[in-house]
């Protein structure tokens, strides 16, 4: 049965690839209803803006990072940038310069070929986000083929990793007792992630192009990369209300992936403190991006993650809002940030073992922790507002500030 299933799977892939070589007017009729689209669904190809250096960043835009890195690049003289994202119907609504539906991206050969030619003709630099295909069926979804085709036409190529695309779960499980990849029943999930990470490390090695990682922890998986800090617009998150001024702390947790964030490791303790009326606890999931500034403004403390040893977009947005961020950070992450920026990340360290004591201390000493929360906006302005990321991108783009 396994052999038959594999034969059927490969036959299905081959059929879809053949469809991708046909004009859309023909291929759409041969596709199942779930993969059909109309001519009106297909946007025109991307247009490159005028500039000496023209960057195209695609296709993931996780937490709006493709968009924000494009804006950071435009801080450099003579640089213009466009980010692209393929969107599912229920995505978070992050801003993007150019977007296409995931159905069109995956099933329109016409769009893929026109987009491929427009990018090659119009842009000088292309950043592949999360090592994903950016041209869909034009190269049958193989990012390496796309990158080599662009390089052959004189376009400079970079790779930007954002997390699970490069992180080795085996390596991570060895260095952190709270790792989400340790002692779990779903070993197929771990094997899938490890295989993906190994494939992408080999891709980094074969291409040998400039490479970037969104968090310092990923440097353990690819030391030749440069840390490209996550970027937010601080003005989007400013709050006029100072943290920790109410009767008791309002504690917010917004896990995009509870299993990876370590939610189950901390929530029983956090909920118990809430039941004791020591804190007010709220957990939110899948809130549209436009609503998040208001959610942070109403909170005092934001719990980020307690399993990966990093901080990411949630922490940065909360710091920009002047909220106290509590998370588990590896020493390697803190030390790399200090080495590069000269600053200490204003993130209160807590693990699943210590989260209860930490939150009790916050409730008992709000004045002490308010000072740390108030340091957040300045830290974000120095590290995550785009200026530092622009300096990191400058060598790749042939520019210096």
């Amino acid at each position: 049965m396994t052999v038959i299933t594999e034969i059927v799977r490969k036959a299905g892939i081959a059929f879809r690839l053949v469809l991708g070589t046909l004009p859309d007017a023909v291929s759409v009729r041969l596709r199942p209803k779930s993969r059909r689209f109309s001519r009106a669904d297909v946007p025109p190809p991307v247009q490159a803006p005028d500039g000496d250096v023209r960057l195209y960043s695609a296709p993931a835009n996780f937490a709006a990072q493709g968009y924000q890195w494009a804006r950071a690049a435009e801080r450099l003289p003579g640089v213009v940038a466009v980010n692209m994202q393929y969107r599912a119907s229920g995505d978070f609504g992050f801003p993007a310069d150019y977007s296409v539906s995931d159905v069109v991206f995956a099933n329109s050969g016409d769009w893929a070929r026109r987009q491929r030619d427009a990018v090659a003709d119009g842009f000088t630099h292309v950043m592949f986000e999360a090592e994903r295909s950016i041209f869909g069926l034009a190269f049958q979804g193989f990012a390496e083929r796309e990158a080599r085709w662009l390089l052959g036409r004189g376009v400079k190529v970079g790779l930007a990793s954002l997390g699970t695309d490069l992180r080795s779960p085996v390596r991570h499980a060895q260095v952190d007792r709270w790792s989400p990849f340790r002692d779990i029943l779903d070993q197929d999930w771990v094997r899938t992630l490890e295989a993906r990470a190994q494939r992408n490390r080999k891709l980094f090695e074969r291409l040998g192009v400039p490479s970037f990682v969104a968090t310092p922890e990923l440097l353990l998986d690819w030391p030749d990369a440069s840390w490209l800090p996550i970027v937010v617009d601080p003005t989007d998150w400013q709050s006029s209300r100072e943290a920790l001024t109410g009767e008791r702390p309002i504690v917010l947790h917004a896990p995009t992936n509870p299993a990876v964030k370590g939610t189950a490791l901390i929530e029983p303790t956090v909920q118990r403190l809430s039941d004791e009326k020591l804190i007010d606890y709220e957990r939110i999931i899948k809130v549209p991006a436009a609503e998040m500034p208001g959610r942070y403004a109403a909170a005092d403390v934001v719990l980020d993650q307690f399993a990966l040893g990093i901080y990411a977009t949630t922490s940065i947005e909360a710091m920009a809002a002047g909220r106290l961020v509590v998370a588990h950070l590896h020493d390697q992450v803190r030390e790399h940030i200090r080495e590069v920026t000269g600053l200490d990340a204003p993130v209160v360290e807590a693990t699943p073992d210590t989260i209860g004591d930490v939150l009790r201390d916050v409730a008992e000493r709000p004045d002490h922790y308010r000072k740390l929360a108030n340091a957040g906006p300045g830290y974000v302005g120095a590290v995550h507002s785009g200026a530092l990321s622009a300096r990191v991108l400058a060598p790749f783009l042939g520019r210096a500030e």
Side-chain angles (χ1 to χ4, degrees):
M1 186 64 180
T2 302
V3 173
I4 294 175
T5 301
E6 182 65 12
I7 291 173
V8 171
R9 186 186 70 84
K10 290 183 176 180
I13 293 173
F15 178 67
R16 290 195 295 273
L17 295 181
V18 170
L19 287 183
T21 67
L22 301 175
D24 287 352
V26 176
S27 69
V28 166
R29 299 176 184 177
L30 301 174
R31 296 184 184 281
K33 288 184 178 181
S34 62
R35 296 177 179 270
R36 292 180 185 175
F37 52 90
S38 69
R39 181 180 299 179
D41 296 326
V42 182
V46 65
Q47 296 293 311
D50 293 332
D52 296 333
V53 176
R54 300 175 298 280
L55 171 65
Y56 182 75
S57 185
N61 200 33
F62 296 144
Q65 283 316 290
Y67 179 84
Q68 294 291 0
W69 283 335
R71 304 290 78 78
E74 290 180 326
R75 291 171 175 253
L76 300 168
V79 176
V80 293
V82 172
N83 96 288
M84 170 269 187
Q85 177 184 357
Y86 54 78
R87 294 187 183 275
S89 58
D91 73 10
F92 288 95
F94 295 121
D97 298 318
Y98 178 99
S99 61
V100 60
S101 75
D102 55 354
V103 174
V104 171
F105 179 86
N107 296 285
S108 174
D110 289 350
W111 174 86
R113 289 181 286 273
R114 292 168 187 159
Q115 188 80 348
R116 171 200 64 192
D117 294 342
V119 171
D121 292 341
F123 292 87
T124 59
H125 295 69
V126 170
M127 182 75 81
F128 284 75
E129 301 164 16
E131 302 82 66
R132 295 190 176 194
S133 163
I134 63 175
F135 297 137
L137 289 175
F139 293 88
Q140 293 79 45
F142 289 99
E144 183 170 358
R145 293 181 185 176
E146 298 171 345
R148 293 193 182 280
W149 186 84
L150 289 167
L151 289 167
R153 281 151 183 78
V155 178
K156 294 179 173 59
V157 168
L159 300 171
S161 169
L162 291 103
T164 56
D165 53 294
L166 190 63
R167 180 184 297 110
S168 164
V170 172
R171 188 271 304 165
H172 192 275
Q174 293 172 345
V175 300
D176 194 330
R177 64 171 289 204
W178 306 111
S179 173
F181 314 116
R182 292 186 71 174
D183 303 325
I184 65 171
L185 297 177
D186 189 1
Q187 286 300 309
D188 286 342
W189 177 58
V190 173
R191 283 191 287 268
T192 298
L193 292 178
E194 183 67 28
R196 179 200 298 169
Q198 289 182 6
R199 285 196 306 271
N200 286 330
R201 287 198 298 275
K202 290 177 181 177
L203 175 64
F204 274 58
E205 183 176 356
R206 287 194 301 267
L207 288 177
V209 297
S211 54
F212 305 90
V213 292
T215 63
E217 178 252 347
L218 294 172
L219 294 170
L220 299 177
D221 295 294
W222 192 250
D224 290 341
S226 298
W227 174 42
L228 180 62
I230 293 168
V231 176
V232 304
D233 183 345
T235 61
D236 290 342
W237 305 97
Q238 289 174 351
S239 174
S240 59
R241 186 183 72 84
E242 207 173 20
L244 297 168
T245 55
E247 180 180 353
R248 54 179 174 260
I250 300 171
V251 178
L252 181 71
H253 184 43
T256 51
N257 186 336
V260 171
K261 290 279 189 176
T263 299
L265 299 175
I266 64 157
E267 199 158 52
T269 300
V270 177
Q271 189 61 58
R272 185 166 61 251
L273 295 178
S274 183
D275 293 342
E276 294 174 12
K277 306 300 183 182
L278 191 70
I279 64 171
D280 290 330
Y281 174 60
E282 182 181 13
R283 173 183 171 186
I284 58 175
I285 295 178
K286 293 187 176 180
V287 171
E291 296 182 18
M292 287 307 298
R295 297 295 188 121
Y296 290 136
D300 296 299
V301 180
V302 174
L303 308 180
D304 189 359
Q305 64 73 39
F306 299 87
L308 289 179
I310 64 172
Y311 73 80
T313 309
T314 295
S315 288
I316 297 164
E317 293 167 349
M319 285 188 281
R323 278 27 200 164
L324 183 70
V325 173
V326 180
H328 167 44
L329 267 62
H330 290 167
D331 290 342
Q332 176 262 343
V333 171
R334 292 187 184 271
E335 290 167 4
H336 187 82
I337 293 170
R338 189 180 302 115
E339 178 182 342
V340 171
T341 70
L343 300 173
D344 290 316
V347 176
V348 177
E349 174 65 22
T351 69
D353 276 351
T354 64
I355 184 66
D357 291 339
V358 168
L359 289 179
R360 286 184 183 278
D361 197 42
V362 171
E364 292 169 2
R365 298 194 299 155
D367 293 345
H368 169 79
Y369 286 98
R370 190 181 308 116
K371 294 177 182 178
L372 193 62
N374 289 341
Y379 177 81
V380 171
V383 180
H384 294 288
S385 65
L388 177 56
S389 298
R391 292 197 296 273
V392 174
L393 288 169
F396 168 55
L397 297 174
R399 290 293 187 266
E401 287 194 311

